[in-house]
Amino acid sequence: MKEIIAVVRMNKVSDTKRALVESGVAGFTATKVMGRGRLVQDLSLIAERRKTLLAMTNENDAKTEKLVTQFLDGTRFFPRRMFNILAHDDEVPKIIESIINANRTDNHVGDGKIFVLPVSDAIRVRTGETGDAAI
């Protein structure tokens, strides 16, 4: 039995939910979180995204520019969604593949992370079932 933790972009929440349901996941929990990943080393990626984000706003003031810059250089947290999924060991590769397919973008940064952890036990509160039967 494993726990899969997937941290994804907010605009990919619906795609991720759909992918999990289509891959046969029995249930999952989603939580709004804030965080940031590794800082981008290729400054040209940030420069291009900065230009795109500033072009999307109607304002070109110093406050907006500061927010966009902080968002891209890692000094601000990013809003994300964290999915927690319990799965049987043999289902894990299929679930991971579906999460990756739903979340991979052409942005080359910030597509999320997936962590797989062992779970020693699970208990279904309603019935008292334990272990794999509780999933």
Side-chain angles (χ1 to χ4, degrees), residues 22-58:
E22 289 174 359
S23 68
V25 172
F28 51 87
T29 303
T31 310
K32 290 180 183 178
V33 296
M34 300 288 286
R36 63 161 211 97
R38 184 180 331 157
L39 291 178
V40 177
Q41 301 301 314
D42 184 354
L43 298 179
S44 67
L45 288 174
I46 292 175
E48 189 62 35
R49 290 294 282 164
R50 182 175 181 275
K51 183 177 162 185
T52 302
L53 288 172
L54 285 173
M56 291 170 51
T57 65
N58 293 332

Side-chain angles (χ1 to χ4, degrees), residues 4-17 20 28-36 78-85 99 103 110-115:
I4 302 167
I5 300 172
V7 181
V8 304
R9 294 172 181 263
M10 292 298 285
N11 66 340
K12 293 293 191 171
V13 171
S14 293
D15 293 343
T16 303
K17 289 190 301 189
L20 291 172
F28 51 87
T29 303
T31 310
K32 290 180 183 178
V33 296
M34 300 288 286
R36 63 161 211 97
F78 295 89
R80 298 289 191 203
R81 185 77 70 171
M82 184 171 68
F83 286 85
N84 295 79
I85 305 122
I99 294 169
N103 286 279
D111 287 347
K113 289 280 192 277
I114 301 171
F115 306 95

Side-chain angles (χ1 to χ4, degrees), residues 67-124:
L67 288 173
V68 168
T69 301
Q70 288 176 337
F71 185 72
L72 292 172
D73 72 7
T75 55
R76 286 185 67 85
F77 283 136
F78 295 89
R80 298 289 191 203
R81 185 77 70 171
M82 184 171 68
F83 286 85
N84 295 79
I85 305 122
L86 284 181
H88 300 284
D89 291 357
D90 59 332
E91 297 172 339
V92 171
K94 179 175 73 169
I95 294 169
I96 290 171
E97 182 181 354
S98 69
I99 294 169
I100 289 171
N101 290 338
N103 286 279
R104 184 173 284 149
T105 68
D106 293 330
N107 295 330
H108 306 292
V109 294
D111 287 347
K113 289 280 192 277
I114 301 171
F115 306 95
V116 180
L117 295 88
V119 175
S120 61
D121 203 1
I123 299 101
R124 179 173 287 140

